[in-house]
Amino acid sequence: MGKFEIYKNKSGEYRFRLKASNGQTILASEGYTTKAARDNGIESVRKNSQDENRFVNGVSKSDQPYFNLTATNGQVIGKSEMYKSIAARDNGIESVMKNAPDAEVVES
C-alpha cells in the first residue's frame, strides 16, 4: 500500500510525497504555506488521480518523460520524477492511480 509522506522543508513550506508500496516516490507536491492547504492538496490528489485526463505528459529539455497531475481547474497538484522512457512514465501514472486513493498519511 502506498503512503503520503508529509514534511516541512527547510524554507518552512508544508509538502507531501506519494510513495508506492516499494518506497519509491511517484509524485511530489508543491510547497504550501499551511498544513490545511497541504491536506487539501492530498485530498485533491486522491480525487484527481482517478481521472486519466488529469495527467499531463511532458518531456524535459533533456528528453526525459515526466507527468504532472492537475486539478479540474488546471492547477498542478503533483509532479513526477524524470523517467528514462515513456513506458516507465506510464507505469508511474498507473502507480499513482493505484496508490493514491487509499494511501495512509505519515510524517517523514
Side-chain angles (χ1 to χ4, degrees):
M1 184 160 104
K3 63 182 174 183
F4 286 100
E5 273 188 356
I6 57 174
Y7 64 101
K8 196 171 183 180
N9 68 11
K10 292 178 184 176
S11 306
E13 296 175 310
Y14 297 95
R15 294 180 173 262
F16 64 84
R17 292 181 281 255
L18 176 60
K19 292 196 167 192
S21 56
N22 65 4
Q24 182 177 1
T25 298
I26 51 177
L27 195 72
S29 76
E30 64 179 355
Y32 296 95
T33 56
T34 66
K35 288 181 180 181
R38 179 206 54 213
D39 294 346
N40 286 339
I42 290 171
E43 290 309 310
S44 185
V45 168
R46 289 186 196 279
K47 175 183 168 194
N48 288 290
S49 66
Q50 300 309 289
D51 182 349
E52 291 179 0
N53 296 317
R54 302 274 58 94
F55 291 90
V56 178
N57 295 327
V59 178
S60 72
K61 292 178 182 175
S62 58
D63 285 332
Q64 292 182 289
Y66 68 92
F67 64 86
N68 291 327
L69 177 62
T70 62
T72 52
N73 64 4
Q75 181 179 356
V76 174
I77 51 177
K79 297 181 178 191
S80 75
E81 65 180 350
M82 297 297 163
Y83 292 96
K84 292 186 180 352
S85 69
I86 290 172
R89 178 199 61 208
D90 292 347
N91 286 339
I93 291 170
E94 286 180 27
S95 186
V96 170
M97 293 180 81
K98 176 184 172 188
N99 285 284
D102 300 320
E104 64 179 327
V105 178
V106 297
E107 299 257 356
S108 70

